[in-house]
């Protein structure tokens, strides 16, 4: 008899999640009864039409927002029991974020922007710069360390933002429409980079309205009107 392999431990566990904006007659419930477990090493795409609640869900998983009902556990921590300052620390420890906008500081070089991703970790400056250089090398930008964002292409800026998001080795990388501001070639390069990060063990959750992008992830969750209507795992061509 072959022993069953243990599944990887969960990094995000959402139970009975709902999110309502406002109160009274104008209250708008944009997520309802969401149950979702994401395990270490998974690459999950969250797809659905505009307004279906994808960004709201990502913000809850990223401890950027609080659920109206239900619980979110990140690496075993129940987010409801944390103050706003505590949530900031959890984010800095466990999470990396990539958004459609790059949010890079233009008066800093790529190296300095990425090194800032370690400011919360209490890492000394020389070590921050060493790790930032390694992260930029990992995203194919070893030749751009001293460039400021205005001297780089959109694709290079997004790869710099990804290096900043992963420089502290987060447990989960959360990406919200990361190719939304890029031409198709740069977007494809960013998605290849996600594939590579996943292949080396990263846990990735990617929000996109584009089914073509979602299709490359091994697991695809579909949201409609704030509910998970589909949760599909499949083989993805290597
Ligand atoms: P998606 O990412 O799928 O486009 P969102 O999560 O951004 O969807 O939004 C879902 C719904 O919640 C939309 O109807 C949007 O207008 C509404 N919404 C999002 N944020 C807020 C907010 N801060 N206040 C009120 N309504 C909001």
């Amino acid at each position: 008899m072959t022993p069953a392999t243990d599944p990887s431990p969960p990094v995000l566990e959402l139970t009975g999640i709902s999110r309502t904006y406002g109160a009274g007659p104008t209250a708008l419930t944009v997520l309802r009864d969401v149950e979702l477990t994401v395990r270490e090493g998974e690459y999950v795409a969250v797809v659905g039409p505009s307004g279906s609640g994808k960004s709201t869900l990502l913000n809850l998983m990223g401890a950027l927002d609080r659920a109206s009902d239900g619980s979110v556990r990140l690496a075993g921590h129940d987010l409801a029991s944390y103050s706003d300052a505590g949530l900031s620390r959890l984010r800095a420890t466990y999470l990396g974020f990539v958004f459609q906008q790059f949010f890079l500081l233009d008066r800093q070089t790529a190296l300095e922007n990425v090194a800032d991703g370690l400011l919360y970790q209490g890492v000394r400056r020389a070590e921050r710069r060493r790790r930032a250089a390694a992260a930029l090398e990992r995203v194919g930008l070893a030749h751009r360390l001293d460039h400021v964002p205005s001297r780089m292409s959109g694709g290079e800026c997004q790869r710099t933002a990804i290096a900043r998001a992963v420089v502290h080795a987060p447990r989960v990388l959360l990406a919200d429409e990361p190719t939304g501001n890029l031409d198709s070639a740069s977007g494809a390069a960013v998605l290849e980079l996600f594939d590579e990060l996943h292949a080396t063990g990263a846990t990735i959750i990617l929000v996109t309205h584009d089914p073509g992008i979602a299709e490359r992830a091994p697991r695809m969750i579909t949201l409609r009107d704030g509910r998970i209507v589909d949760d599909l795992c499949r083989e993805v061509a290597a």
Side-chain angles (χ1 to χ4, degrees):
M1 199 170 74
T2 318
T5 20
D6 282 342
S8 312
V11 274
L12 271 166
E13 297 164 275
L14 280 64
T15 314
I17 287 295
S18 71
R19 177 68 171 102
T20 300
Y21 291 114
T26 59
L28 181 66
T29 297
V30 301
L31 284 180
R32 35 188 115 223
D33 305 327
V34 171
E35 305 279 333
L36 176 63
T37 299
V38 177
R39 296 180 181 277
E40 220 146 73
E42 279 199 287
Y43 180 2
V44 184
V46 179
V47 72
S50 179
S52 56
K54 303 184 295 297
S55 293
T56 302
L57 180 62
L58 190 99
N59 290 343
L60 291 174
M61 292 192 285
L64 293 164
D65 187 19
R66 291 179 186 275
S68 309
D69 207 352
S71 89
V72 180
R73 296 181 82 85
L74 167 62
H77 301 278
D78 181 354
L79 298 189
S81 63
Y82 283 79
S83 64
D84 288 351
L87 291 182
S88 295
R89 280 193 297 277
L90 286 182
R91 282 196 299 274
T93 305
Y94 292 112
L95 301 173
F97 292 92
V98 180
F99 297 100
Q100 185 168 339
Q101 296 86 357
F102 315 130
F103 295 120
L104 299 173
L105 296 177
D106 200 42
R107 57 193 156 72
Q108 294 191 345
T109 63
L111 186 79
E112 290 161 346
N113 268 287
V114 174
D116 277 1
L118 288 165
L119 278 175
Y120 279 94
Q121 326 292 321
V123 179
R124 296 176 75 89
R125 184 168 180 271
E127 178 64 12
R128 286 203 302 272
R129 292 174 71 85
R130 193 191 66 72
R131 289 196 210 169
L136 281 162
E137 191 172 336
R138 195 170 171 199
V139 301
L141 291 180
H143 58 305
R144 290 284 185 264
L145 304 189
D146 295 325
H147 280 55
V148 291
S150 59
R151 303 290 301 276
M152 296 193 290
S153 69
E156 288 174 335
C157 285
Q158 191 60 305
R159 282 191 280 152
T160 303
I162 294 168
R164 182 188 51 196
V166 300
V167 69
H168 63 294
R171 296 280 288 277
V172 186
L173 177 63
L174 296 165
D176 195 350
E177 301 282 4
T179 61
N181 270 343
L182 303 179
D183 61 74
S184 55
S186 305
V190 160
L191 294 174
E192 269 166 37
L193 181 55
F194 281 2
D195 292 344
E196 283 165 33
L197 290 169
H198 175 237
T200 53
T203 307
I204 301 175
I205 301 174
L206 180 153
V207 159
T208 177
H209 69 283
D210 182 344
I213 291 176
E215 258 168 25
R216 60 194 296 150
R219 181 175 175 194
M220 183 165 84
I221 286 163
T222 306
L223 278 183
R224 190 150 302 137
D225 297 331
R227 291 182 197 275
I228 294 180
V229 294
D230 212 356
D231 185 349
L232 196 70
C233 293
R234 59 256 159 84
E235 295 290 321
V236 173

